[in-house]
Amino acid sequence: MSTTREEFIAFFPQLTEVILSELPSFGATAEMTTRIKAMIEYNVMGGKMNRGLSVVDTVKIMRGESVLPPDVNEKAMVLGWSVEWLQAFFLVADDIMDESPTRRGQPAWYRRKDVGILAINDSFILEACIFRLLKKYFKSEPYYIDLVEILHETSYQTELGQMVDLLTAPENDINLDRFSIEKHAYIVEYKTAYYSFYLPVALALLMTGSPAESPVFQVAKDILIPLGVYFQVQDDYLDCYGNPEFIGKIGTDIEDNKCSWLVVQALDRVSKEQRQILNDNYGRKSPAIHAQRVKDLYVELKIESVYKAYEDKAIAEIQDKISKVDESLVPRQVFTAFLNKVAKRTK
Amino acid sequence: MSTTREEFIAFFPQLTEVILSELPSFGATAEMTTRIKAMIEYNVMGGKMNRGLSVVDTVKIMRGESVLPPDVNEKAMVLGWSVEWLQAFFLVADDIMDESPTRRGQPAWYRRKDVGILAINDSFILEACIFRLLKKYFKSEPYYIDLVEILHETSYQTELGQMVDLLTAPENDINLDRFSIEKHAYIVEYKTAYYSFYLPVALALLMTGSPAESPVFQVAKDILIPLGVYFQVQDDYLDCYGNPEFIGKIGTDIEDNKCSWLVVQALDRVSKEQRQILNDNYGRKSPAIHAQRVKDLYVELKIESVYKAYEDKAIAEIQDKISKVDESLVPRQVFTAFLNKVAKRTK
Ligand SMILES: [Mg+2]
Ligand SMILES: [Mg+2]
Ligand SMILES: [Mg+2]
Ligand SMILES: [Mg+2]
Ligand SMILES: [Mg+2]
Ligand SMILES: [Mg+2]
């Protein structure tokens, strides 16, 4: 049985309490504790939590249990939340760097009057909490150092992806020459796929006894990274072609000068004249006619059917890889569970 | 024999090379590698390197060797540089948060045209490098996890101190009500003393075989945290009373609204009228008459002799603690070496 978002959320106060209860040993005043509590709750809670949930679900599949024993459930929950906490660390900083006004329907943390640029240091504290929690719950486990290392490595991968993203599509500096299929692929793989798809499974594998050197990690990576890339390409596609009622927002990747899969595919196919149309219209916030011209060009270039072909191929390749998984290492269900959630989604 | 800054610097390219040489395994392009190299060199190099050097010197004292065997020297150098790297991570971010124009005589990293707000992510990458280096050089050592944990813990302490600092003395919002002797003590201990004084010795102790649970760490903390606090109080003192020719800059703590030891001592001693003088003059960038009024008030309140009394007492207390150190745990010289560098310094 899949873990529900409600069960997962119900576990959260226990973790916040661990962080807060040890603050006095760091000399913290009541005022500091109150602020840190608010900061954690504002930033860690509120997402879809698919990443965190998938850690717990993967542990269930690995153990072949639909209900986990309490001690195992607790550890799986902690690792699930460590991924959410890691994401909070990245998102707080990303919103500053992107100058984003909102996140999850509320003002971005740095936009609050009582926060501002302090948000940079808050993002560091969010990161530090992850390792406090790991120490608290896993210190005596033989795979403790492996958990720490995979979190370090994934952070580094995400930061490298973020670096390329920021260099490729800087705010208020439109230059499509920097965009390319290769750059898009790097950004998507490093900034998103490792922490969103590979990390949850890697943590669950470590927790259920796979040694860090086991070939299962490479097997998982070979499937989950392409799956994560496909997921992000879908995200880029849905931004333009999804139903806003389903995806819950009106896409603005064109206006925001995003290095989207759609635009790098278009750039790969344009004539000199069409390229000029992109140069003149991509990344303009207003008037809306600019974005419409880009969308018209996508139609001309049949980008939607390029996407459909990519999607069918991506799914087929992932399915093929899954079918070849040695089930003595890991049940195929670990990966089909992910693929079923992602394939042909409309939101 | 103390390690020289030159010897220490000569080791640096080897570490940069470790980071750069593994970047291809993270899919990095030549362009990324060039940028990361420049970013590391700009930010990690160029300080006084007392923190890093003290790791190597402490290892020498612990082993009773004035010249270390090559393999030991290498490890000590790596740990020394890990402290410098940690400082770089903090300083890159601190300069953004403080809107500082310069650092070590050159533009602060974030002020460079080709950097800007990307500096936030660069600070994350600097932090990540520390754990790449630890993994590379210490993975097979039994104390590897202890090194990782002390770096995590020290980062968290520094971040908590930074949080209080930013809340106490925010840019462009002068309110002396937030200043207090207690807040100053917290900021100094957490933001500076742990990473600058305790961390180098703790790393050296771990490397030379003290188990993480050994009482020697508490002994070291009890001496080095007060020593680090004294060092920072001195820094605050010298900002106002030091010879600019010796300290290499003209102090601006008063103009910069710093929660300096001098002002919290003054606030503790002012009459209602004198308090008004502070309120009206502290934290004003110009004209210079404001800072002069504050300095005149310090004279009236005899803050310089308050400092001299504090200094004598601090040194005496630290000397007393050192004299009681059980030398079967750690040679007293570890601490006298630090104290001799700090006591009564004029720069
Ligand atoms: Mg963003
Ligand atoms: Mg971004
Ligand atoms: Mg999107
Ligand atoms: Mg500063
Ligand atoms: Mg600062
Ligand atoms: Mg100073």
Side-chain angles (χ1 to χ4, degrees):
Chain A
M1 205 178 60
S2 283
T3 315
T4 64
R5 192 167 175 274
E6 288 65 36
E7 289 172 84
F8 191 66
I9 289 173
F11 191 80
F12 181 69
Q14 175 177 333
L15 296 178
T16 312
E17 187 49 33
V18 167
I19 299 298
L20 302 181
S21 66
E22 63 174 21
L23 278 175
S25 73
F26 288 92
T29 59
E31 190 195 350
M32 287 171 69
T33 304
T34 304
R35 187 181 181 283
I36 290 172
K37 182 173 193 283
M39 187 274 286
I40 290 171
E41 287 172 352
Y42 195 92
N43 292 299
V44 182
M45 284 286 291
K48 290 190 288 288
M49 293 164 189
N50 286 332
R51 293 165 181 84
L53 284 167
S54 66
V55 177
V56 186
D57 286 341
T58 304
V59 170
K60 286 182 178 174
I61 297 169
M62 289 302 294
R63 294 175 55 100
E65 295 170 340
S66 66
V67 178
L68 296 171
D71 59 323
V72 176
N73 185 61
E74 179 177 79
K75 285 194 158 56
M77 288 282 185
V78 175
L79 293 182
W81 277 108
S82 77
V83 181
E84 295 295 325
W85 226 289
L86 186 73
Q87 171 159 263
F89 155 52
F90 291 136
L91 296 185
V92 166
D94 182 67
D95 285 342
I96 305 170
M97 293 187 272
D98 291 343
E99 300 178 29
S100 301
T102 58
R103 166 72 62 188
R104 297 170 179 163
Q106 55 184 5
W109 178 242
Y110 83 98
R111 297 272 289 204
R112 288 178 41 139
K113 262 222 174 65
D114 54 345
V115 180
I117 204 66
L118 240 102
I120 297 177
N121 192 60
D122 289 332
S123 78
F124 298 172
I125 291 176
L126 288 169
E127 183 195 29
C129 289
I130 299 168
F131 298 103
R132 300 305 306 169
L133 294 173
L134 289 187
K135 185 174 176 181
K136 169 81 180 178
Y137 288 94
F138 295 95
K139 173 90 179 157
S140 63
E141 299 296 335
Y143 55 89
Y144 171 46
I145 184 64
D146 301 319
L147 298 177
V148 171
E149 284 191 347
I150 186 94
L151 277 153
H152 281 154
E153 181 162 300
T154 309
S155 300
Y156 191 40
Q157 288 161 328
T158 309
E159 288 150 13
L160 292 172
Q162 177 75 293
M163 183 178 104
V164 177
D165 187 27
L166 290 163
L167 289 169
T168 303
E171 274 290 305
N172 313 319
D173 179 8
I174 303 163
N175 179 354
L176 300 183
D177 291 345
R178 283 190 293 250
F179 290 8
S180 69
I181 290 178
E182 293 71 32
K183 287 243 187 85
H184 178 270
Y186 189 88
I187 294 167
V188 163
E189 176 173 339
Y190 281 82
K191 199 183 74 162
T192 305
Y194 275 103
Y195 94 85
S196 306
F197 286 81
Y198 176 62
L199 177 63
V201 171
L203 291 171
L205 289 171
L206 288 170
M207 202 199 115
T208 52
S210 299
E213 320 74 35
S214 162
V216 74
F217 291 94
Q218 193 57 49
V219 170
K221 203 176 282 183
D222 288 344
I223 294 168
L224 293 165
I225 297 303
L227 185 58
V229 169
Y230 163 46
F231 175 84
Q232 185 58 45
V233 172
Q234 244 182 344
D235 192 80
D236 291 355
Y237 169 78
L238 291 172
D239 188 88
C240 185
Y241 295 107
N243 184 336
E245 282 178 42
F246 289 174
I247 61 173
K249 62 179 176 186
I250 295 163
T252 56
D253 281 359
I254 295 171
E255 292 87 338
D256 293 346
N257 190 38
K258 288 283 165 67
C259 181
S260 157
W261 187 86
L262 303 175
V263 73
V264 299
Q265 293 299 326
L267 285 164
D268 197 46
R269 287 167 173 80
V270 282
S271 67
K272 214 180 152 196
E273 292 71 28
Q274 289 169 324
R275 167 92 194 195
Q276 196 54 50
I277 294 174
L278 277 181
N279 284 344
D280 295 343
N281 292 285
Y282 204 78
R284 305 322 192 259
K285 304 267 181 208
S286 64
I289 186 72
H290 287 301
Q292 193 52 53
R293 288 229 172 96
V294 174
K295 287 187 183 188
D296 292 346
L297 185 63
Y298 287 174
V299 172
E300 248 180 87
L301 294 166
K302 301 194 172 58
I303 297 297
E304 209 176 347
S305 65
V306 176
Y307 171 76
K308 296 290 183 194
Y310 162 85
E311 178 170 54
D312 290 342
K313 188 159 168 276
I315 293 173
E317 283 175 5
I318 292 164
Q319 279 171 334
D320 181 56
K321 280 185 188 166
I322 294 175
S323 74
K324 288 172 180 155
V325 165
D326 174 356
E327 288 210 283
S328 71
L329 281 176
V330 52
R332 288 175 198 155
Q333 202 199 334
V334 163
F335 307 111
T336 51
F338 268 91
L339 181 59
N340 291 340
K341 268 182 235 166
V342 172
K344 309 263 175 172
R345 73 192 165 100
T346 54
K347 60 172 185 164
Chain B
M1 206 177 61
S2 283
T3 314
T4 65
R5 193 167 174 273
E6 289 63 37
E7 289 172 83
F8 191 66
I9 288 173
F11 191 81
F12 181 71
Q14 174 176 332
L15 296 178
T16 312
E17 188 48 35
V18 167
I19 299 298
L20 302 181
S21 66
E22 63 174 20
L23 277 175
S25 74
F26 288 93
T29 59
E31 189 193 352
M32 287 171 69
T33 304
T34 304
R35 187 181 180 284
I36 289 171
K37 182 174 193 285
M39 188 274 287
I40 290 171
E41 287 172 351
Y42 195 92
N43 291 299
V44 182
M45 285 286 290
K48 289 190 289 286
M49 293 164 191
N50 286 332
R51 293 166 181 83
L53 284 166
S54 66
V55 176
V56 187
D57 286 341
T58 303
V59 170
K60 286 181 177 174
I61 297 169
M62 289 302 295
R63 293 174 56 99
E65 295 170 339
S66 66
V67 178
L68 295 171
D71 59 324
V72 176
N73 186 61
E74 180 177 79
K75 284 194 160 55
M77 287 282 184
V78 175
L79 293 183
W81 276 107
S82 78
V83 181
E84 295 295 326
W85 225 288
L86 186 73
Q87 172 159 263
F89 155 51
F90 291 136
L91 296 185
V92 166
D94 182 67
D95 285 343
I96 305 170
M97 293 187 273
D98 291 343
E99 299 177 31
S100 301
T102 58
R103 165 73 62 187
R104 297 167 179 165
Q106 56 184 4
W109 179 242
Y110 82 99
R111 297 271 289 204
R112 289 179 41 140
K113 262 223 174 66
D114 54 345
V115 180
I117 203 66
L118 240 102
I120 297 177
N121 193 61
D122 289 332
S123 78
F124 297 172
I125 291 176
L126 288 169
E127 183 195 31
C129 289
I130 299 168
F131 298 102
R132 299 306 306 170
L133 294 173
L134 289 187
K135 185 174 175 181
K136 169 84 179 176
Y137 288 94
F138 295 95
K139 173 90 180 158
S140 63
E141 298 296 336
Y143 55 89
Y144 171 47
I145 185 65
D146 302 319
L147 297 177
V148 170
E149 283 191 348
I150 186 95
L151 276 153
H152 281 154
E153 182 162 299
T154 309
S155 300
Y156 191 39
Q157 288 161 328
T158 309
E159 289 151 12
L160 292 172
Q162 177 75 292
M163 183 179 102
V164 177
D165 186 27
L166 290 163
L167 289 168
T168 303
E171 274 290 308
N172 312 320
D173 178 8
I174 303 162
N175 179 355
L176 299 184
D177 291 345
R178 283 190 293 251
F179 290 9
S180 69
I181 290 178
E182 293 71 33
K183 287 244 187 86
H184 178 269
Y186 189 89
I187 295 167
V188 163
E189 175 173 340
Y190 279 83
K191 199 183 74 163
T192 305
Y194 275 103
Y195 95 85
S196 305
F197 285 81
Y198 175 63
L199 177 63
V201 171
L203 291 171
L205 289 171
L206 288 170
M207 202 199 114
T208 52
S210 298
E213 319 72 36
S214 161
V216 73
F217 291 93
Q218 193 57 49
V219 169
K221 203 177 282 182
D222 288 343
I223 293 168
L224 293 165
I225 297 304
L227 183 58
V229 169
Y230 162 45
F231 175 84
Q232 185 58 45
V233 172
Q234 245 183 344
D235 193 81
D236 291 354
Y237 168 79
L238 291 172
D239 188 89
C240 186
Y241 296 105
N243 184 336
E245 282 178 39
F246 288 175
I247 60 173
K249 61 177 177 187
I250 295 164
T252 57
D253 281 359
I254 294 171
E255 291 87 340
D256 293 346
N257 190 38
K258 287 283 165 70
C259 182
S260 157
W261 188 86
L262 302 175
V263 73
V264 298
Q265 293 300 326
L267 284 165
D268 197 45
R269 288 167 173 78
V270 282
S271 67
K272 214 180 152 194
E273 292 70 28
Q274 290 170 322
R275 166 92 194 195
Q276 196 54 49
I277 294 175
L278 277 181
N279 284 344
D280 294 343
N281 293 285
Y282 203 80
R284 304 322 192 260
K285 304 267 179 207
S286 65
I289 186 72
H290 287 300
Q292 193 51 54
R293 288 227 173 97
V294 174
K295 287 187 183 189
D296 292 345
L297 184 63
Y298 288 174
V299 173
E300 246 180 88
L301 294 166
K302 303 195 170 57
I303 296 296
E304 208 175 348
S305 64
V306 176
Y307 172 75
K308 296 289 182 195
Y310 162 85
E311 177 170 54
D312 290 342
K313 187 158 168 278
I315 294 174
E317 283 176 4
I318 292 164
Q319 279 171 334
D320 181 57
K321 280 186 186 165
I322 294 175
S323 74
K324 289 173 180 156
V325 165
D326 175 357
E327 289 210 281
S328 71
L329 282 175
V330 52
R332 288 177 197 155
Q333 201 198 333
V334 164
F335 306 111
T336 50
F338 268 90
L339 181 59
N340 291 340
K341 268 182 234 165
V342 172
K344 310 261 174 174
R345 72 191 166 102
T346 55
K347 61 170 184 166

